[in-house]
C-alpha cells in the first residue's frame, strides 16, 4: 500500500507517518522509483507507535521499545532490557528537567523576582550554590542476594545500571522514586574506598551519597562549616566526580557530580544490572 492508504487505514496523518520515518520508528519499503510502499507489518507497527505515544512515551523511548515489541516471538528478556533502558532515559530526562527548574528558581531569586526560601542552620537567609538533586543511601550488606530480593523483588524498586567489576564486587542501585538505595557487598565498598582514596573503616560504614552540581564547591562549603575532608574530589571510572567528608553522628557523606546520563553510562563496559553481571 502507499502512504495515503496507510494513513486512511490507521487514522494517522501522512505528515505524522513521515515524522515516524524521520525519527527512525518506521522503515517503509521502496519501489525501484523510490516511492514508499507499506505492508501489513508496517500498519501494525504504526498502531503500536500510536499506542506508545498515547501512553505518554516520547519518540526516543519508543525507538528503544519498538524492536522488542514488534518481534514475532516477543522475547521477554529483550523486552525487559528495552523497558529498563527506557526507564533509565526517562529518569535522566527527569533529573535534567529538575536541574533546569532549580536553575530557574535561583535566577528568579537573584533577580529579586522570588524570595530566597533556603535558610541556614541559624534560620537566616542565604544564597546557596549547592542544591541537592538526589539522596542515595548506601547499605553495606553481607547477605547481598537477600537484600536485593527484598528491595527489588519484594518492594518492587526498579534496578538501574551500576558499575562493578566481577566476583564478590557486587552493587545494585534501586530507584525508590525520589531517592535511590544502593546495596553493596563489603568488597564493593572497599573498591569504592580505593577509587575515592578514602580511609577504610572496619565493619559496615554509615554513608550517605548526595548528588550535587559541583563536587569541589560542595566540599569547600562543607569544609567551611567544619567538616573534615576524608577524600578530595576524584574522577571515577563510573563517570562521576566524587569526594567524601566526615558528617555528624559517625556518618560519612559522599558528594557526587554526574558527568553523563544514565543512558550514556549504560553503554559503557562494567555498567549493567546485577543479574547480567558475570560472576
Amino acid at each position: 500500500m502507499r502512504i495515503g492508504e496507510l494513513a486512511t487505514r490507521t487514522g494517522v496523518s501522512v505528515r505524522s507517518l513521515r515524522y515516524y520515518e524521520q525519527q527512525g520508528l518506521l522503515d517503509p519499503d521502496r519501489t525501484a522509483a523510490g516511492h514508499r510502499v507499506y505492508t501489513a507489518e508496517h500498519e501494525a507497527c504504526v498502531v503500536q507507535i500510536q499506542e506508545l505515544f498515547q501512553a505518554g512515551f516520547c519518540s526516543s523511548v519508543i525507538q528503544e521499545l519498538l524492536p522488542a515489541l514488534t518481534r514475532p516471538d516477543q522475547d521477554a528478556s529483550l523486552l525487559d532490557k528495552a523497558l529498563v533502558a527506557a526507564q533509565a532515559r526517562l529518569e535522566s530526562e527527569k533529573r535534567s528537567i529538575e536541574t533546569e527548574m532549580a536553575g530557574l528558581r535561583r535566577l528568579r531569586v537573584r533577580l529579586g523576582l522570588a524570595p530566597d526560601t533556603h535558610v541556614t542552620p541559624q534560620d537566616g537567609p542565604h544564597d546557596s550554590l549547592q542544591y541537592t538533586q538526589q539522596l542515595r543511601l548506601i547499605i553495606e550488606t553481607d547477605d547481598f542476594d537477600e537484600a536485593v530480593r527484598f528491595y527489588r523483588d519484594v518492594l518492587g524498586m526498579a534496578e538501574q545500571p551500576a558499575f562493578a567489576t566481577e566476583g564478590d564486587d557486587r552493587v545494585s542501585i534501586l530507584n525508590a522514586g525520589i531517592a535511590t538505595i544502593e546495596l553493596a557487598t563489603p568488597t564493593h565498598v572497599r573498591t569504592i574506598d580505593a577509587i575515592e582514596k578514602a580511609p577504610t573503616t572496619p565493619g559496615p560504614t554509615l554513608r550517605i551519597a548526595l548528588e550535587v552540581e559541583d563536587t569541589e564547591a560542595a566540599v569547600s562549603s562543607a569544609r567551611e562549616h567544619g567538616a573534615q575532608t576524608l577524600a578530595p574530589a576524584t574522577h571515577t571510572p563510573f563517570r562521576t566526580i566524587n569526594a567524601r567528608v566526615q558528617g555528624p553522628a559517625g556518618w560519612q557523606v559522599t558528594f557526587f557530580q554526574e558527568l553523563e546520563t544514565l543512558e550514556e553510562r549504560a553503554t559503557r563496559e562494567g555498567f549493567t544490572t546485577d543479574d547480567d553481571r558475570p560472576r
Side-chain angles (χ1 to χ4, degrees):
M1 73 185 84
R2 295 295 180 86
I3 192 169
E5 182 181 353
L6 179 63
T8 300
R9 291 171 66 96
T10 60
V12 178
S13 68
V14 170
R15 182 178 180 181
S16 294
L17 292 174
R18 288 175 175 159
Y19 172 77
Y20 296 168
E21 183 180 347
Q22 293 171 356
Q23 296 298 309
L25 305 178
L26 191 63
D27 186 19
D29 298 330
R30 297 277 182 171
T31 66
H35 298 296
R36 297 176 178 84
V37 178
Y38 301 90
T39 65
E41 287 75 17
H42 291 116
E43 181 180 351
C45 182
V46 171
V47 173
Q48 184 76 76
I49 292 170
Q50 281 294 98
E51 290 176 348
L52 292 170
F53 272 124
Q54 291 169 4
F57 292 105
C58 63
S59 59
S60 57
V61 174
I62 293 175
Q63 189 174 31
E64 295 170 349
L65 294 175
L66 208 53
L69 290 171
T70 55
R71 281 177 59 100
D73 58 355
Q74 288 283 297
D75 186 279
S77 62
L78 181 62
L79 179 58
D80 183 61
K81 289 181 179 179
L83 290 171
V84 169
Q87 180 173 342
R89 176 189 286 273
L90 291 172
E91 291 290 345
S92 176
E93 291 176 357
K94 175 185 174 183
R95 287 167 47 192
S96 295
I97 292 172
E98 290 173 345
T99 298
E100 292 179 13
M101 292 293 292
L104 285 174
R105 288 193 294 269
R106 293 196 297 274
L107 179 60
R108 285 175 57 83
V109 169
R110 285 198 296 271
L111 294 176
L113 300 176
D116 186 353
T117 58
H118 293 82
V119 296
T120 64
Q122 292 78 32
D123 295 328
H126 73 294
D127 293 325
S128 173
L129 296 178
Q130 301 306 317
Y131 288 83
T132 298
Q133 300 174 47
Q134 178 187 152
L135 168 65
R136 179 170 297 172
L137 177 64
I138 292 88
I139 301 176
E140 180 179 344
T141 173
D142 290 314
D143 196 343
F144 183 84
D145 289 319
E146 173 58 23
V148 170
R149 186 195 68 81
F150 178 75
Y151 286 105
R152 185 189 66 187
D153 303 334
V154 176
L155 299 186
M157 296 182 183
E159 185 175 9
Q160 67 185 49
F163 177 84
T165 54
E166 297 181 2
D168 288 335
D169 181 9
R170 301 175 62 187
V171 63
S172 179
I173 296 181
L174 308 176
N175 195 302
I178 60 175
T180 55
I181 291 180
E182 179 176 323
L183 308 174
T185 60
T187 301
H188 184 77
V189 171
R190 301 292 88 79
T191 299
I192 300 304
D193 286 344
I195 289 173
E196 294 183 0
K197 301 180 177 62
T200 297
T201 58
T205 302
L206 301 176
R207 181 160 62 93
I208 296 174
L210 301 175
E211 181 184 354
V212 296
E213 295 179 7
D214 187 325
T215 294
E216 292 186 354
V219 172
S220 177
S221 177
R223 191 167 50 237
E224 289 175 1
H225 288 80
Q228 175 190 358
T229 301
L230 298 177
T234 301
H235 284 257
T236 72
F238 33 95
R239 302 292 296 151
T240 62
I241 301 176
N242 285 24
R244 199 181 301 186
V245 300
Q246 182 63 58
W251 284 75
Q252 296 182 4
V253 179
T254 291
F255 298 118
F256 67 98
Q257 176 184 339
E258 300 281 13
L259 299 179
E260 62 184 13
T261 65
L262 275 175
E263 178 192 12
E264 294 169 330
R265 181 174 297 153
T267 64
R268 292 183 176 274
E269 183 178 357
F271 284 94
T272 185
T273 58
D274 182 68
D275 285 345
D276 293 332
R277 182 171 291 116
R279 292 199 291 272

